[in-house]
Amino acid sequence: MKIGVLAVQGAVSEHVRALQESGAETAIVKRPEELVGLDGIVLPGGESTTMRRLMEKYGLIDTIRVFAEQGHPIFGTCAGLILMAKSIDGEPSPHLQLMDIDVKRNAFGKQVDSFEASLELKPFAEPYNGVFIRAPYINRVAKNVDVLATYEDHIVACRQDRFLVSAFHPELTTDWRLHRYFVEMVTEYR
């Protein structure tokens, strides 16, 4: 199994390490042809507008949409979550539009408002430490979206079929459970 990490911006090496620790072979994705042969991809955090511009520049928007349509799992964290949403609060043009969710950007405040919180994450029995950095949250989900975690009554993680998102940064901890969960999703869809 080989999982790519989009490498236009964000915590790329941290996701690579987390995926490798979870048993996956990894690849860096900067160009459309680098998606060939991958079983899934992670869209890391960063600044979603900048990421979209770079993805458009390198021809990755349509390629990732096709990759998703072909049945490949995708995991978006923080800005990656924003990229995957069908609608973004206050913005007329969403990015990849893969998940039936509406998100609010920078919902918990600016960089200086970053924090960590203990979360009850649905797939796991033990609490999960969420690292929130200029984090979004999810305003609304469609009926076919499974809410996995909330923080202060705001949705911060969910799954829709083969798509997984988190408003926090699991790659910035040494708790690989969420990455392992994604690796299991990829195994299911192979």
Side-chain angles (χ1 to χ4, degrees):
M1 171 187 350
K2 193 171 189 178
I3 299 175
V5 178
L6 180 67
V8 295
Q9 189 189 44
V12 175
S13 62
E14 290 86 347
H15 274 295
V16 166
R17 183 186 67 192
L19 289 166
Q20 289 172 346
E21 291 288 335
S22 301
E25 185 182 342
T26 58
I28 300 297
V29 176
K30 294 182 180 179
R31 295 185 309 272
E33 60 270 20
E34 292 168 334
L35 283 164
V36 175
L38 296 182
D39 299 301
I41 190 169
V42 173
L43 308 180
E47 205 290 309
S48 60
T49 305
T50 301
M51 290 174 76
R52 179 188 177 144
R53 286 186 189 127
L54 291 168
M55 289 167 69
E56 284 173 343
K57 179 179 178 178
Y58 299 118
L60 286 161
I61 294 282
D62 290 336
T63 309
I64 290 174
R65 283 187 184 132
V66 169
F67 186 78
E69 288 166 7
Q70 292 171 340
H72 295 97
I74 300 176
F75 179 18
T77 63
C78 198
L81 176 156
I82 296 167
L83 290 172
M84 292 176 69
K86 283 221 172 141
S87 66
I88 304 167
D89 187 45
E91 294 186 25
S93 118
H95 308 294
L96 293 168
Q97 303 177 52
L98 299 175
M99 287 187 75
D100 291 324
I101 58 176
D102 174 72
V103 301
K104 180 170 176 59
R105 295 180 67 210
N106 301 324
F108 291 109
K110 299 179 181 181
Q111 190 87 16
V112 295
D113 301 311
S114 300
F115 63 95
E116 294 184 30
S118 180
L119 304 172
E120 297 299 320
L121 198 53
K122 194 174 184 179
F124 313 126
E126 298 296 318
Y128 192 94
N129 186 50
V131 178
F132 292 82
I133 303 170
R134 288 179 58 217
Y137 61 64
I138 300 163
N139 287 320
R140 286 183 307 281
V141 300
K143 290 180 181 175
N144 60 338
V145 177
D146 188 19
V147 173
L148 302 180
T150 60
Y151 175 74
E152 294 184 346
D153 297 324
H154 299 294
I155 301 166
V156 295
C158 61
R159 176 179 177 178
Q160 180 182 339
D161 191 29
R162 66 194 179 283
F163 302 135
L164 176 68
V165 291
S166 68
F168 50 91
H169 291 267
E171 77 281 6
L172 298 181
T173 72
T174 54
D175 184 343
W176 313 128
R177 286 180 292 167
L178 201 52
H179 284 85
R180 284 189 198 117
Y181 180 76
F182 181 63
V183 168
E184 289 169 12
M185 284 175 56
V186 173
T187 302
E188 282 175 31
Y189 284 94
R190 279 180 78 197

